[in-house]
Amino acid sequence: MTEKILMKGNEAMVHAAIKAGCTFYAGYPITPQNEVPEQMSALMPKAGGIFIQAEAELSAINMIFGASAAGVRCMTSSSSPGIALKQEGISYIAGGELPCVIANVMRGGPGLGNIRASQADYFQSVKGGGHGDYKLIVLAPSTVQEMYDLTMDAFDYADHYRNPVLILADGITGQMVEPVELKDYKPILELPSKSGWILDGCKGREPHVVKTLFLESDDRLTKHNIHLQEKYQRIKDELCLCKEYKTEDAELFIAAYGITARVCKEAVDAARKLGYKVGIIQPVSLWPFPEKIFAKYKGKDFLVVEMSCGQMIEDVKLSLECKGKIHFMGCGGGWYPDTEQIVTKVKEIYGRS
Amino acid sequence: MKDDIKIAGHGGQGVVLAGSLIANAAMDQGLETCGMVSYGAEMRGGTANATVIISDKPIGSPVVVNPTTALILNEPSLKKFEESLVPGGIIIINTSECKKKVSRTDLEVVLIPATEIASELGNKKATNMVMIGAYIKKRGIIDIQVAIKTLKRVLGKKPELVEINQKALIKGAEQCM
C-alpha cells in the first residue's frame, strides 16, 4: 500500500493543485475554506509559484483571468458568498475560454448565511451564476481523497476543453480529516498546446487577443455563442462521472452528491438490513449531469437528498422525464442529514407506495 | 467495529492534537478514520472539541451526533456532551479539572486525574496523552505500541517532546489496568 497521510479536504486540494503544476493562486479568506489560502501561502512559494492574497474576491478572480490568459495553470477558491462575488469574473473567463480551477467550499446561505456546510449553490454552479450562456465543468468530491483526485483532474479538464472547472465541495468535505494518498500527477487527457492563443509577448508574431467583447459585426457574438455551445455539447458527449451503489436490484434509488451521498450510503446499508431494496446514484460531474445513467432507471421511484431546499432534483426530474415518483428530502441553512432520518424517509416512501 | 469518539476541553488542553494522534494511530494500524475539529465561531482559550471516527469499514457520515466514547477534559465539556452519548458508551473524565459527577447511570465511567498525572511527570500539557492512554487501554481497539510509534512520527519535528508524551501515554494506560 502506498503511504497515506492525514489531512483536511481543503489541504488536499492545495497539494493536488501544486502537484498538477498550478503556479498561480489568488484568493481572499472566508470560512470554511481558509486552509486553502493558508496552505497555498506556505507551499506555493516553495514550489516556485505565486500566492496572492487579493484585496477582495473580485480582484482575485480577475487575477485568475490574467494568469490564465498568460498561459499559466491557476486556481482560486472561496466559499458561497465569496463565489457569488466572483460570478462576473467567472462569466468573463468562460466567455474568453480561459482554463482555470475554482473551488467553492459551500456554506449556508442566502446572504452571509452561516459557516455550516451546505449544498445550496448547485443552481449557481451548474446553471450559470453569471450572465450569458456559459457552462462550467462542475465536479463534486465526497472524500478527502476525491478532493485531491478531482482537483488534479480539474486542471486537465480545464486545459483540454479550454474551460473553467469548478470543484463544488462543502464545509464538511473541506474541514474533515482523512487519510489521503498524494498521487503523482499524470495527465488524464490530451493537453493541447496553448501557444496559439496565450499572451506571452508577441515579438516576431501577430499579437494574440483574449477578449469577451465582440462588436465587430452584428453576428460576431452569435457565432462565438454557437462555437461555445458546440464545445459544451462535445463536453456533454465525452464527460460523465457518476457512481452507482447497490443499484442492480434496487426498487428505490437515492440520488445524492458530495458529502450527502456518503451519509446515504450508510443509510442504504441500514435500510437493506431491514429488507428495503435501496440503491444510490451519485453524480460526480454535476455539469455535465450524468443524464444517461439516470435515464437507465426512467420510471423507477427516486429519493433526492440534498443539503438544500431542492436544486439538483430539477436535473434528476429532467433526466427521468418526470416519470416515476420522485421524492425529496433536504433543507438549507446548514441542515445535515443523518442515517436515521434517511432510513425513516425510506420507510415512509415504502409505506406510501 | 466502529468507535465514534468525542474529545472536548478548553483551548490549550491539546484537544486537536489528541484527535490527530488517535486518527493517525488508527491509520497506522490499518483502520479507516475520519476526523473533524469543530470550526464554529470559537475564540482562542475558549472551548474546543473534536471528533474522530475509527472503523474497520469505510466511513459514511463524518459527523458524530451520538458518540460511543467521550474524552472529557474539563467540566463545561461534561455538561455539554454527557447527554449526547449512546447508552452503554464510555466516558473518560479528567477529574483534575472536572469535579462534577456523571449523572447518567447507563454509561461506563472512567475517572482519571489526568492533569495531576501529567504535572507529576513534568508537563501539565501532556494531559491529553494521559487521556489517550486511558482511552486506548479501555477501548482496546488501538494497540498502545502502534500509538507510541505514531507519537514519534507525529512529533518528528520536536523529538524533545516525545519522551514526556510517551510516558504520559503509558501512565494513562496503566490507570485502566
Side-chain angles (χ1 to χ4, degrees):
Chain A
M1 199 179 74
T2 347
E3 200 199 342
K4 289 188 175 186
I5 53 173
L6 276 180
M7 62 170 71
K8 287 188 178 184
N10 285 335
E11 294 167 338
M13 287 200 286
V14 175
H15 285 272
I18 289 175
K19 273 227 169 136
C22 172
T23 52
F24 184 88
Y25 173 92
Y28 185 80
I30 182 171
T31 306
Q33 63 86 54
N34 282 326
E35 293 79 7
V36 182
E38 183 195 4
Q39 286 287 309
M40 280 286 185
S41 72
L43 300 180
M44 196 55 108
K46 283 184 197 159
I50 293 168
F51 164 85
I52 297 180
Q53 180 171 319
E55 67 269 39
E57 286 83 355
L58 201 66
S59 46
I61 192 69
N62 284 300
M63 286 175 190
I64 296 302
F65 187 110
S68 183
V72 167
R73 279 198 155 177
C74 53
M75 179 176 181
T76 186
S77 65
S78 192
S79 177
S80 306
I83 293 288
L85 288 166
K86 293 184 196 216
Q87 291 303 322
E88 181 196 56
I90 292 173
S91 166
Y92 280 53
I93 288 169
E97 291 192 88
L98 296 171
C100 70
V101 175
I102 304 155
N104 181 2
V105 183
M106 288 184 280
R107 60 186 247 181
L112 268 179
N114 63 14
I115 57 172
R116 290 174 64 86
S118 164
Q119 294 184 317
D121 301 349
Y122 179 90
F123 283 153
Q124 184 198 58
S125 310
V126 308
K127 307 290 178 191
H131 59 288
D133 282 308
Y134 74 90
K135 287 290 178 193
L136 305 177
I137 294 170
V138 182
L139 307 174
S142 63
T143 65
V144 173
Q145 187 67 56
E146 282 177 4
M147 290 287 261
Y148 185 89
D149 297 347
L150 291 175
T151 302
M152 198 172 250
D153 295 349
F155 285 95
D156 289 350
Y157 290 126
D159 280 345
H160 183 78
Y161 292 112
R162 267 190 74 179
N163 207 68
V165 179
L166 183 86
I167 304 290
L168 193 62
D170 66 86
I172 295 173
T173 33
Q175 291 295 324
M176 68 186 180
V177 174
E178 283 185 323
V180 54
E181 185 192 334
L182 302 180
K183 298 172 190 165
D184 286 333
Y185 171 68
K186 218 171 85 194
I188 55 162
L189 288 163
E190 182 217 336
L191 303 175
S193 163
K194 296 180 178 181
S195 63
W197 60 271
I198 58 170
L199 312 182
D200 59 347
C202 62
K203 206 172 177 185
R205 63 160 170 81
E206 282 298 299
H208 294 153
V209 180
V210 171
K211 61 170 190 170
T212 65
L213 180 67
F214 297 97
L215 299 172
E216 299 89 337
S217 64
D218 286 352
D219 67 348
R220 180 66 188 84
L221 183 57
T222 306
K223 281 181 179 153
H224 181 56
N225 266 276
I226 291 167
H227 160 71
L228 287 178
Q229 290 303 315
E230 283 168 355
K231 178 174 82 173
Y232 298 147
Q233 189 55 51
R234 184 159 68 91
I235 301 173
K236 275 181 87 166
D237 292 342
E238 293 172 359
L239 182 61
C240 172
L241 302 175
C242 187
K243 291 197 266 190
E244 291 184 55
Y245 182 67
K246 298 192 176 169
T247 48
E248 309 82 27
D249 62 340
E251 298 160 350
L252 175 66
F253 294 75
I254 296 181
Y257 70 94
I259 197 69
T260 314
R262 275 176 74 141
V263 189
C264 289
K265 218 179 241 181
E266 214 171 66
V268 160
D269 290 340
R272 278 193 172 252
K273 277 187 192 146
L274 301 171
Y276 302 103
K277 287 188 179 167
V278 195
I280 301 177
I281 302 180
Q282 178 189 349
V284 176
S285 58
L286 299 180
W287 196 89
F289 194 72
E291 292 165 7
K292 300 164 231 175
I293 308 290
F294 280 88
K296 287 197 294 186
Y297 306 107
K298 217 177 280 175
K300 298 276 188 190
D301 286 359
F302 270 79
L303 167 63
V304 183
V305 185
E306 294 179 69
M307 280 149 60
S308 78
C309 296
Q311 301 192 9
M312 185 179 75
I313 188 171
E314 292 192 4
D315 284 331
V316 174
K317 282 183 175 172
L318 285 170
S319 305
L320 298 171
E321 293 171 3
C322 291
K323 297 204 169 86
K325 286 190 193 124
I326 302 164
H327 306 269
F328 178 72
M329 180 180 184
C331 195
W335 173 83
Y336 180 76
D338 67 45
T339 309
E340 222 175 282
Q341 286 173 310
I342 299 168
V343 174
T344 307
K345 184 78 184 176
V346 167
K347 284 181 190 167
E348 233 178 80
I349 292 169
Y350 266 83
R352 232 184 269 159
S353 53
Chain B
M1 181 280 295
K2 183 167 178 265
D3 196 15
D4 294 342
I5 311 155
K6 169 74 76 180
I7 307 160
H10 59 71
Q13 281 188 310
V15 166
V16 176
L17 181 65
S20 172
L21 183 69
I22 293 176
N24 270 290
M27 181 179 75
D28 289 349
Q29 199 168 302
L31 297 168
E32 301 281 345
T33 184
C34 183
M36 277 246 272
V37 175
S38 156
Y39 68 96
E42 336 245 21
M43 53 184 183
R44 278 184 197 277
T47 58
N49 77 82
T51 58
V52 181
I53 303 171
I54 59 180
S55 174
D56 54 2
K57 293 186 189 70
I59 294 161
S61 174
V63 174
V64 173
V65 184
N66 301 112
T68 43
T69 305
L71 275 59
I72 301 295
L73 277 73
N74 68 349
E75 197 155 314
S77 303
L78 178 64
K79 285 182 194 149
K80 199 168 171 186
F81 296 111
E82 184 184 344
E83 279 313 308
S84 66
L85 265 100
V86 298
I90 295 176
I91 188 161
I92 305 171
I93 295 176
N94 172 21
T95 53
S96 311
E97 296 201 33
C98 178
K99 302 298 172 202
K100 199 175 164 277
K101 297 267 179 297
V102 175
S103 43
R104 280 173 63 177
T105 52
D106 59 347
L107 299 174
E108 236 185 291
V109 184
V110 179
L111 302 172
I112 309 270
T115 308
E116 282 157 57
I117 291 171
S119 299
E120 278 164 25
L121 290 171
N123 194 339
K124 197 177 137 183
K125 284 184 181 167
T127 302
N128 54 355
M129 294 299 145
V130 178
M131 294 293 283
I132 294 173
Y135 163 74
I136 286 173
K137 192 72 195 169
K138 183 74 194 166
R139 189 49 99 182
I141 297 173
I142 294 169
D143 187 323
I144 186 91
Q145 295 308 324
V146 172
I148 289 169
K149 266 192 202 156
T150 305
L151 185 69
K152 287 177 184 158
R153 177 171 69 76
V154 172
L155 292 177
K157 283 179 191 155
K158 296 172 183 171
E160 69 279 8
L161 293 177
V162 171
E163 198 192 337
I164 172 75
N165 281 294
Q166 187 177 332
K167 272 188 196 164
L169 204 62
I170 293 166
K171 199 82 184 165
E174 282 168 8
Q175 302 298 305
C176 290
M177 291 284 186

